[in-house]
Amino acid sequence: MTAGTQQRDLSPEAAAPARLPADLDRLRAVVGEALSGFLAEQRSTLAGMDDSLLPVVDEVTALAGGGKRLRPAFAYWGWRGLTGPDGEDDDAVLRAVAALELVHASALVHDDVMDAASTRRGRPATHLGFATRHGAASLDGDGAAFGVGAAILVGDLALVWSDELLRRSGISTEALIRARPVWDRMRTEVTAGQYLDLLRAAGGLPGPQGALTVARYKSAGYTVQRPLQLGAALAGAGEQAADTYSGIGLPLGEAFQLRDDVLGVFGDPAVTGKSADDDLREGKQTLLISLAEERTDAAGRALLARGLGNPAATPADLDAVRALIVSTGARDQVEQRIADQTARARQAIGDAAIAEDARTALDGLAVAATSRNA
């Protein structure tokens, strides 16, 4: 433990007192301004090509305009925890880490296509939105196929633009060079993680460990671990700092994704902006499902087979699946893992050799990321 830190009670009951960073509103505002300004420029560029391209940039703008900004927040406080008085300009760093939101937008669009999701952030998923445009304009061909193709390209464009926003953020050339290895590794991992998710849905990577492998590479790494390490790279910190941030980011990123999985089945759609039935209708093979399969009997497995991945499943069928997840203890076990991994991450934050304001901020973010209801 570093000087000035103390052993704390990190049990779930003690999680509530942790507070979000006081300047989180400012971070969100600067990140939002960076994204809106950048995307307005891209809109002008596409309009100069052809006005029919405007729905493409408008879709990216809509996706990047919402969210909790957790990834930029982790990256920013990762930087603040290690930077000195001669570090990069604060606003330039915020513009740089805003690029993480475009990586996230890309992943959301592609994930929704792969999962045949219906909603995202309270609006139709991108592929469905473009299918509707196809019908409204009485275009030729299959509207669903048009929507999927358009969504793939929207996601690709968001990923391309993430790189451009990072490069144009205003950080120094030296900082940009330091950031590239982490940035490149992160984007490779999230794309590879999408394939692992696809493979698991087809029967590969079975069991609870398979679910955790997908969670790590598809979401956990690019949500916490790599953003923290991106901040460390921007600060010019070395391998020890990167390892410290892995010790925080890996358990916390897993806990974040497991919370997302719980909300995907038990969350309130009015709060999450996503149907609580989508994950079940898609047959999403989360840790919740793996544990329920392990713990139930033949009748329970038959129930899961009928309800999961079945577009025709009734609300009663899906409610029965939820009840099975609860009755087998699968939900409680996942909740316990969330609590354990969050406590592990918070202890690592307490032990880290970082600035005190960053320690406080990261602890608050850790609680917010894993106890959220949306």
Side-chain angles (χ1 to χ4, degrees), residues 108-134:
L108 292 179
V109 173
H110 288 164
D111 192 46
D112 286 346
V113 168
M114 290 165 55
D115 291 343
S118 60
T119 56
R120 173 64 66 179
R121 291 181 174 170
R123 57 195 296 274
T126 299
H127 60 284
L128 295 183
F130 276 93
T132 299
R133 289 187 182 94
H134 179 281

Side-chain angles (χ1 to χ4, degrees), residues 9-373:
D9 180 4
L10 300 176
S11 63
E13 294 77 11
R19 295 188 298 274
L20 285 170
D23 60 353
L24 184 59
D25 287 344
R26 173 182 169 273
L27 181 148
R28 288 171 172 164
V30 176
V31 166
E33 289 168 6
L35 288 166
S36 61
F38 175 80
L39 290 171
E41 290 182 35
Q42 301 299 340
R43 196 174 197 275
S44 295
T45 297
L46 293 191
M49 297 167 63
D50 195 287
D51 282 350
S52 61
L53 289 166
L54 292 181
V56 173
V57 67
D58 289 346
E59 185 68 16
V60 177
T61 301
L63 288 165
K68 295 168 283 296
R69 309 301 193 204
L70 284 175
R71 292 161 186 84
F74 280 117
Y76 174 76
W77 284 104
W79 170 74
R80 278 277 295 270
L82 298 167
T83 193
D86 299 324
E88 297 291 314
D89 175 72
D90 192 87
D91 282 358
V93 169
L94 285 171
R95 288 191 296 271
V97 301
L100 290 163
E101 291 294 289
L102 294 177
V103 177
H104 185 44
S106 172
L108 292 179
V109 173
H110 288 164
D111 192 46
D112 286 346
V113 168
M114 290 165 55
D115 291 343
S118 60
T119 56
R120 173 64 66 179
R121 291 181 174 170
R123 57 195 296 274
T126 299
H127 60 284
L128 295 183
F130 276 93
T132 299
R133 289 187 182 94
H134 179 281
S138 300
L139 299 177
D140 296 336
D142 182 81
F146 176 86
V148 168
I152 291 170
L153 294 172
V154 167
D156 289 348
L157 195 54
L159 194 61
V160 169
W161 282 343
S162 72
D163 208 51
E164 185 177 346
L165 179 54
L166 175 67
R167 178 175 53 81
R168 292 174 49 192
S169 63
I171 59 173
S172 68
T173 300
E174 294 77 13
L176 185 60
I177 290 171
R178 293 194 302 266
R180 288 300 325 187
V182 178
W183 181 256
D184 293 342
R185 178 71 177 269
M186 177 193 68
R187 298 199 306 165
T188 295
E189 285 177 348
V190 69
T191 305
Q194 290 279 15
Y195 173 76
L196 294 178
D197 189 31
L198 191 67
L199 178 64
R200 180 167 166 80
L205 294 174
Q209 187 54 51
L212 292 173
T213 297
V214 171
R216 173 175 178 176
Y217 290 110
K218 179 185 171 185
S219 179
Y222 95 98
T223 297
V224 187
Q225 179 198 18
R226 299 308 182 194
L228 284 171
Q229 290 180 336
L230 182 67
L234 292 173
E239 286 299 316
Q240 184 174 353
D243 290 345
T244 294
Y245 280 157
S246 278
I248 297 168
L250 286 176
L252 185 56
E254 180 188 292
F256 172 91
Q257 181 55 45
L258 293 180
R259 173 59 61 210
D260 204 54
D261 292 342
V262 171
L263 291 173
V265 176
F266 296 100
D268 180 355
V271 178
T272 64
K274 180 181 177 182
S275 169
D277 293 343
D278 276 0
D279 283 4
L280 299 178
R281 290 191 190 280
E282 295 154 16
K284 205 164 189 178
Q285 295 296 310
T286 64
L287 184 62
L288 281 170
I289 300 303
S290 287
L291 293 174
E293 286 177 336
E294 279 192 346
R295 290 164 164 255
T296 193
D297 54 16
R301 284 187 285 275
L303 170 63
L304 289 171
R306 287 196 308 274
L308 290 175
N310 179 8
T314 67
D317 292 332
L318 300 182
D319 284 342
V321 171
R322 289 188 187 90
L324 181 69
I325 292 170
V326 173
S327 66
T328 57
R331 181 176 182 178
D332 284 345
Q333 190 169 343
V334 170
E335 289 286 358
Q336 186 59 55
R337 188 171 181 94
I338 291 171
D340 291 345
Q341 292 293 75
T342 302
R344 181 180 164 198
R346 293 182 72 195
Q347 189 60 61
I349 291 168
D351 292 346
I354 56 176
E356 285 303 317
D357 61 343
R359 190 188 320 284
T360 300
L362 290 175
D363 192 58
L365 288 169
V367 173
T370 56
S371 61
R372 70 193 197 282
N373 60 3

